[in-house]
Amino acid sequence: MALSSMTGFARSHGASGPYAFEWELKSVNAKGFDLRLRLPPGWDEIEAFAKKRAAELLSRGTVYANLNVKRANALSSVRINEEVLASIVKVATQLAGKIDAVAPSIDGLLSIKGVIEVVEPESDEDEDKAAKAAAVSAFDEALTGLVAMRRREGTALGQILGQRMDEIEALAKKAEAAPGRKPEAIKARLAEQVAALLETSDRFDADRLNQEALLIAARADIREELDRIASHIAQARELIEKGGPIGRRLDFLAQEFHREVNTCCSKSNDIELTNTGLEMKNVVEQFREQVQNLE
């Protein structure tokens, strides 16, 4: 299966009878899946199909779907509500005999709510049904385009993630080969420090010194962390090769990478090993940032 990004955009157009419509779909990162539809009045019955179809093709990301509909030769007409107007004129006439006021003007009367009514043209049931069916097909077309775009971006992300794994593997090998992590190097550094103290005191035991050096070397050993990093690299490569909705699993592995690299840095007693650990930490962070975009 191909990898998919959670970001993408697609548009489709369609027409049926007097109706012309356009779909716009945009998806962004999210922890789960959510389809947010914006439909014109009277087109709500499309929602059930759109949500079902989108859930079949997508597993993560928030998708914003907007449907714009225009109807040709559908001019609204304006009519006067005679009953409301008559009631207002009657009240105005009664008030005219009680107070000194200017008679109401025509534009004043027409501005009163309810006097003017906008009448929408009558629709044909068969035309509406056919138009909604066509809009459903257009949604499916836009959704297919969105999926294709997300997969193209996912393919590019997969290549980047593979490069990050190569970098982490190279740095792990560099850390493993660092001369400063060898027990002999640790013992030599400790011996140098103790030698300076022996110039002022002879209370140090050579055998005890050897034991302490071995204990410090054991505590500073990062063999276990390097083995786990190698295991995480193998798992990440396997997931990337397998494809599909693996974003959550790779995000978990990124956290595990981060934990092991932090431990390597905290155990380091050598400047070269510390610098290598910091480089690895930076690459792991880049890996995790890219993983956040995967479905």
Side-chain angles (χ1 to χ4, degrees):
M1 295 177 64
L3 290 177
S4 291
S5 160
M6 283 191 285
T7 60
F9 177 83
R11 179 185 286 123
S12 67
H13 300 81
S16 176
Y19 293 98
F21 43 82
E22 177 186 68
W23 280 103
E24 284 189 357
L25 272 61
K26 176 184 177 182
S27 66
V28 296
N29 295 356
K31 292 183 178 180
F33 172 70
D34 185 23
L35 175 64
R36 301 185 182 181
L37 284 164
R38 187 177 178 183
L39 303 172
W43 294 69
D44 295 340
E45 60 192 77
I46 294 177
E47 181 175 357
F49 168 83
K51 288 189 173 181
K52 179 177 181 296
R53 183 59 175 155
E56 291 173 353
L57 298 182
L58 306 172
S59 61
R60 288 184 72 194
T62 297
V63 179
Y64 298 92
N66 183 39
L67 173 62
N68 294 309
V69 178
K70 293 183 180 180
R71 185 179 177 187
N73 303 321
L75 298 176
S76 301
S77 60
V78 177
R79 72 182 179 187
I80 305 298
N81 190 319
E82 299 290 349
E83 292 181 1
V84 174
L85 180 60
S87 298
I88 294 173
V89 170
K90 182 179 179 180
V91 172
T93 302
Q94 292 173 350
L95 290 176
K98 297 179 181 181
I99 60 175
D100 184 15
V102 178
S105 61
I106 294 178
D107 58 340
L109 289 172
L110 295 179
S111 66
I112 298 175
K113 184 177 181 181
V115 175
I116 293 181
E117 296 179 345
V118 178
V119 181
E120 298 294 338
E122 294 184 4
S123 59
D124 181 273
E125 184 176 347
D126 291 336
E127 286 182 347
D128 290 354
K129 185 176 181 180
K132 290 172 183 176
V136 164
S137 297
F139 174 80
D140 202 44
E141 179 185 343
L143 184 62
T144 301
L146 180 67
V147 170
M149 182 175 182
R150 286 170 46 132
R151 285 181 178 172
R152 286 194 298 271
E153 292 191 6
T155 299
L157 280 174
Q159 294 174 351
I160 294 173
L161 295 176
Q163 293 171 4
R164 296 293 173 266
M165 288 299 96
D166 292 343
E167 293 173 18
I168 293 173
E169 184 176 46
L171 289 169
K173 290 180 178 179
K174 182 178 179 181
E176 185 172 10
R181 63 174 294 267
K182 304 299 182 182
E184 296 80 4
I186 297 173
K187 182 177 179 181
R189 284 196 300 272
L190 183 60
E192 290 176 0
Q193 296 171 2
V194 172
L197 295 176
L198 286 174
E199 296 180 358
T200 57
S201 174
D202 58 356
R203 298 175 59 184
F204 292 91
D205 184 350
D207 292 335
R208 180 65 180 273
L209 171 61
N210 186 63
Q211 293 176 4
E212 291 294 331
L214 293 176
L215 180 61
I216 293 173
R219 290 175 178 173
D221 186 26
I222 59 172
R223 175 72 270 158
E224 187 176 347
E225 285 73 24
L226 293 176
D227 287 343
R228 282 197 288 264
I229 288 174
S231 175
H232 297 336
I233 291 172
Q235 292 180 60
R237 284 174 171 163
E238 182 179 353
L239 286 172
I240 294 170
E241 180 68 24
K242 181 180 179 181
I246 60 170
R248 288 192 180 94
R249 297 176 67 182
L250 283 180
D251 186 50
F252 172 76
L253 277 178
Q255 296 177 47
E256 294 299 304
F257 273 124
H258 196 270
R259 182 179 295 110
E260 302 303 338
V261 173
N262 275 344
T263 303
C264 287
C265 290
S266 65
K267 284 186 173 183
S268 174
N269 52 14
D270 176 74
I271 186 64
E272 180 182 349
L273 186 57
T274 299
N275 289 337
T276 301
L278 292 175
E279 286 184 61
M280 198 185 310
K281 187 175 181 179
N282 182 53
V283 177
V284 167
E285 188 60 33
Q286 293 174 7
F287 174 80
R288 188 174 184 183
E289 287 177 359
Q290 296 294 343
V291 165
Q292 302 302 312
N293 299 316
L294 273 182
E295 184 177 15

